[in-house]
């Protein structure tokens, strides 16, 4: 009789443990716990229409945005998972002004710090559109046995040991990299496991999709306006005009473009000269994934992963996706320097 040939996230993590230099299994345990939290968040997201979880929680987060109830739930669930993993000495979250550390010896001995956007695209919750979780893992630079410090969190993105996201879409997927390619796992709800579905994802060098909140067009730098005009221009040879696709969830917009080929842009404006997206827990993890899949990410002047963060919730302009498309927008921006 024929059975199922599946590889679960846990099996894969154990198999690939050697990918992480000096790995001792600590990192594998950390990601395992993140996978469990993702399943619990997924369960809540699926029920969002049924129970009293929709809508605002009445607090304002560190960005001054309303916190939706699911943001708070996801934040709490992930922090519990990280604490339970006993491998994590500190957390930075979009939902918390300060870094989170613990006083117990096991946590203080943890080797890793974790940065996260627990729920990305939360304005889409109430209207049943895909949302996500974004995360990034670093090895601490402060000594083990002590509490994590800000220095641990202000490392440039090129020091990430892992990054990934969970997308709660028409199916739920977990996509991650440890610097050895990008791998995707789809949740099979019948067995409650993330199963390997996209081994070694490579993003096309050229894409046909551009993703930007074009309602802000009049406020964009001239180089970005020129690039948008370029995207719309009719040219058979370069397969233009491109398709415009914008969900308003970075995770969902990036995920689609990663698989199909495309570019996501969040430029600066005069009133928001750093754009909207946060370096440490939105742009760095997505940039790491993009590069690992053969794409590019830059902020208008430099590679995202080479930026030395100055503060936890710092924002940066963000251009990410298919390498040739990012190079084209770079060319447009550089014309006005
Ligand atoms: P979050 O829900 O974590 O605050 O993030 C929302 C972000 C990001 O997911 C998305 O790409 C962007 O905001 C959309 O911004 P606009 O509504 O300005 O287009
Ligand atoms: Mn976000
Ligand atoms: Mn968020």
């Amino acid at each position: 009789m024929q059975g199922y040939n599946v590889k679960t996230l846990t099996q894969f993590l154990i198999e690939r443990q050697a990918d992480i230099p000096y790995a001792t299994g600590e990192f594998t345990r950390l990601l395992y716990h993140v996978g469990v939290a993702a399943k619990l968040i997924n369960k809540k997201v699926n029920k969002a229409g049924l129970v009293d979880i929709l809508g605002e929680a009445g607090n304002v987060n560190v960005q001054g945005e309303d916190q939706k109830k699911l943001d708070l739930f996801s934040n709490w669930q992930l922090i519990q998972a990280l604490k339970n993993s006993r491998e994590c000495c500190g957390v930075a979250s979009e939902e918390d002004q300060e870094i989170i550390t613990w006083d117990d010896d096991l946590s203080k001995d943890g080797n890793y710090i974790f940065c996260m956007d627990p729920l990305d695209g939360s304005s889409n919750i109430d209207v049943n559109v895909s949302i996500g979780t974004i995360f990034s893992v670093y090895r601490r630079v402060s000594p083990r046995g002590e509490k994590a410090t800000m220095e641990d969190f202000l490392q440039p993105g090129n020091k990430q040991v892992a990054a990934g996201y969970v997308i709660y879409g028409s199916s739920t997927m977990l996509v991650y990299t440890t610097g050895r390619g990008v791998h995707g796992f789809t949740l099979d709800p019948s067995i409650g496991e993330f199963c390997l579905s996209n081994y070694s994802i490579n993003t096309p060098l050229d894409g046909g999709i551009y993703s930007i909140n074009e309602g802000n067009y009049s406020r964009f730098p001239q180089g970005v306006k020129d690039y948008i005009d370029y995207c719309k221009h009719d040219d058979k040879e370069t397969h233009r005009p491109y398709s415009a696709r914008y969900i308003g969830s970075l995770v969902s917009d990036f995920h689609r473009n990663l698989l199909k080929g495309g570019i996501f842009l969040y430029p600066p404006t005069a009133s928001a000269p750093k754009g909207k997206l946060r370096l440490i827990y939105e742009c760095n993890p997505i940039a790491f994934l993009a590069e690992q899949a053969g794409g590019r990410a830059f902020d208008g002047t430099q590679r995202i992963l080479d930026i030395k963060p100055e503060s936890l919730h710092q924002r940066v302009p963000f251009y990410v996706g298919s390498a040739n498309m990012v190079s084209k927008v770079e060319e447009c921006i550089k014309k006005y320097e």
Side-chain angles (χ1 to χ4, degrees):
M1 204 174 98
Q2 188 87 40
Y4 301 100
N5 187 13
V6 295
K7 183 163 288 178
T8 68
L9 174 65
T10 313
Q11 290 168 332
F12 190 82
L13 283 169
I14 292 167
E15 258 178 48
R16 300 298 288 259
Q17 194 166 301
D19 278 3
I20 313 282
Y22 322 112
T24 57
E26 294 166 332
F27 174 79
T28 304
R29 279 194 290 279
L30 180 72
L31 270 198
Y32 167 78
H33 278 84
V34 172
V36 174
K39 285 189 255 184
L40 291 163
I41 296 168
N42 178 64
K43 194 177 121 184
K44 270 280 199 265
V45 168
N46 284 174
K47 279 193 180 164
L50 291 173
V51 292
D52 184 27
I53 192 94
L54 288 169
E56 268 118 57
N59 297 333
V60 171
N61 71 6
V62 287
Q63 326 296 334
E65 296 150 357
D66 288 324
Q67 284 176 323
K68 303 269 177 170
K69 287 179 188 171
L70 264 176
D71 288 78
L72 296 180
F73 174 86
S74 309
N75 194 39
W76 185 90
Q77 198 67 66
L78 278 157
I79 292 169
Q80 292 310 306
L82 294 163
K83 174 98 172 64
N84 291 340
S85 77
R86 299 169 188 261
E87 309 298 350
C88 178
C89 60
V91 182
S93 166
E94 182 190 9
E95 304 303 338
D96 293 289
Q97 178 76 53
E98 310 291 342
I99 58 172
I100 296 160
T101 55
W102 299 284
D103 289 319
D104 62 287
D105 289 342
L106 277 170
S107 300
K108 284 198 286 193
D109 199 44
N111 200 14
Y112 295 98
I113 61 125
F114 196 89
C115 307
M116 63 177 177
D117 179 350
L119 210 66
D120 172 69
S122 33
S123 65
N124 284 322
I125 299 170
D126 296 359
V127 289
N128 210 349
V129 170
S130 299
I131 48 183
T133 294
I134 312 175
F135 64 89
S136 164
V137 183
Y138 294 79
R139 204 170 272 118
R140 70 188 301 173
V141 289
S142 61
R144 287 181 88 155
E146 292 172 19
K147 280 195 188 184
T149 63
M150 266 306 271
E151 202 197 340
D152 296 319
F153 292 89
L154 299 183
Q155 301 184 60
N158 57 36
K159 297 275 191 234
Q160 287 172 101
V161 291
Y165 57 80
V166 184
I167 175 168
Y168 312 98
S170 47
S171 62
T172 295
M173 280 188 78
L174 187 149
V175 177
Y176 84 98
T177 183
T178 56
R180 300 274 194 285
V182 178
H183 309 294
F185 298 79
T186 303
L187 182 65
D188 180 340
S190 67
I191 58 169
E193 294 278 6
F194 281 108
C195 300
L196 183 61
S197 52
N198 300 63
Y199 178 75
S200 193
I201 298 171
N202 282 306
T203 195
L205 277 178
D206 286 293
I209 298 173
Y210 74 106
S211 308
I212 185 167
N213 187 342
E214 217 175 319
N216 295 326
Y217 181 90
S218 61
R219 299 175 176 170
F220 291 149
Q222 191 55 45
V224 175
K225 287 183 180 170
D226 287 2
Y227 181 69
I228 295 174
D229 299 343
Y230 169 87
C231 291
K232 294 176 168 182
H233 189 261
D234 199 336
D235 179 48
K236 265 210 183 84
E237 216 165 284
T238 52
H239 308 287
R240 283 178 291 149
Y242 298 147
S243 289
R245 293 284 184 275
Y246 191 71
I247 295 170
S249 297
L250 172 62
V251 168
S252 316
D253 282 309
F254 175 74
H255 182 73
R256 179 201 53 241
N257 292 358
L258 176 74
L259 298 180
K260 294 199 163 183
I263 184 169
F264 175 94
L265 310 92
Y266 210 108
T269 58
S271 58
K274 295 270 179 191
K276 176 181 185 187
L277 300 176
R278 280 58 60 104
L279 174 61
I280 288 181
Y281 43 81
E282 289 182 316
C283 302
N284 269 337
I286 296 292
F288 189 20
L289 289 158
E291 288 196 5
Q292 281 296 313
R296 278 193 67 193
F298 94 129
D299 73 347
T301 48
Q302 63 171 325
R303 182 182 175 224
I304 290 288
L305 296 182
D306 288 337
I307 301 172
K308 170 81 179 85
E310 283 162 8
S311 62
L312 219 48
H313 300 286
Q314 169 178 347
R315 297 170 195 263
V316 281
F318 196 39
Y319 308 90
V320 63
S322 292
N324 291 343
M325 298 180 90
V326 176
S327 298
K328 183 69 189 175
V329 75
E330 181 176 24
E331 186 189 312
C332 293
I333 291 171
K334 291 226 156 120
K335 269 197 191 135
Y336 296 91
E337 269 175 5

